[in-house]
Amino acid sequence: MIRTGNGFDVHAFAENRKLFLCGTEIPCDEGLLGHSDADVAVHALIDAILGALALGDIGMWFPDHDDAYLDIDSMILLEKVLADPRVAAWKILNCDLTIIAQKPKLGAYREAMRRNLAEYMKLAVDQISVKFTTTEHLGFTGRGEGIATIASVTLEK
Ligand code: MG
């Protein structure tokens, strides 16, 4: 059996926050606002995994009104999802992320992000694609108001 899922997430920039993408801290004058560490890339990835297996969404699993998840490292959320027996029964074949950001420049961090996800997901780096795009200054990402991510995942059992 093969299943595929997609995920999408957005977080707004805010001052006095650190920026984390794929569990990697990125130097930036602003970070992303959120209940957790606001790692928009990992949130989209989690939703893609949950979507593939029709297990709901990240908000159902980790409610943003639950203090247990306040400022939590989103990689821990990813680990919790992967450890669930309903997910662990499947083998992840590949992940493909598109991080939509006008700023900061992210290309230099691509390999660190891939390695980080590979380590946490116990996958090979070549099973993980991390892509970046701007929106040519259009829309909220283009105005530098926040970062969005689209993720796709394929799993096999
Ligand atoms: Mg989120």
Side-chain angles (χ1 to χ4, degrees), residues 30-149:
E30 294 178 292
L32 295 175
L33 190 62
H35 184 69
S36 65
D37 67 0
D39 190 327
V40 65
V42 173
H43 294 182
L45 175 60
I46 288 171
D47 261 355
I49 295 166
L50 296 178
L53 302 178
L55 291 173
D57 59 43
I58 190 171
M60 288 169 52
W61 280 56
F62 309 110
D64 65 5
H65 50 77
D66 188 336
D67 285 347
Y69 306 120
L70 186 64
D71 289 328
I72 196 169
D73 178 346
S74 294
M75 298 300 267
I76 293 172
L77 304 182
L78 177 61
E79 280 188 320
K80 286 177 185 285
V81 167
L82 295 174
D84 187 283
R86 293 167 295 175
V87 177
W90 291 76
K91 188 170 90 175
I92 294 175
L93 295 181
N94 77 298
C95 312
D96 184 18
L97 277 64
T98 301
I99 298 174
I100 303 160
Q102 198 69 43
K103 70 159 193 181
K105 288 263 180 258
L106 295 170
Y109 304 98
R110 185 192 321 265
E111 296 312 314
M113 292 182 191
R114 295 177 70 206
R115 279 196 306 271
N116 213 17
L117 288 178
E119 185 183 332
Y120 271 78
M121 302 180 79
K122 299 180 177 66
L123 297 174
V125 173
D126 70 2
Q127 290 174 287
I128 295 169
S129 161
V130 178
K131 313 194 301 298
F132 310 114
T133 188
T134 70
T135 50
E136 300 290 343
H137 300 282
L138 297 169
F140 67 88
T141 53
R143 290 189 295 270
E145 295 170 3
I147 296 179
T149 301

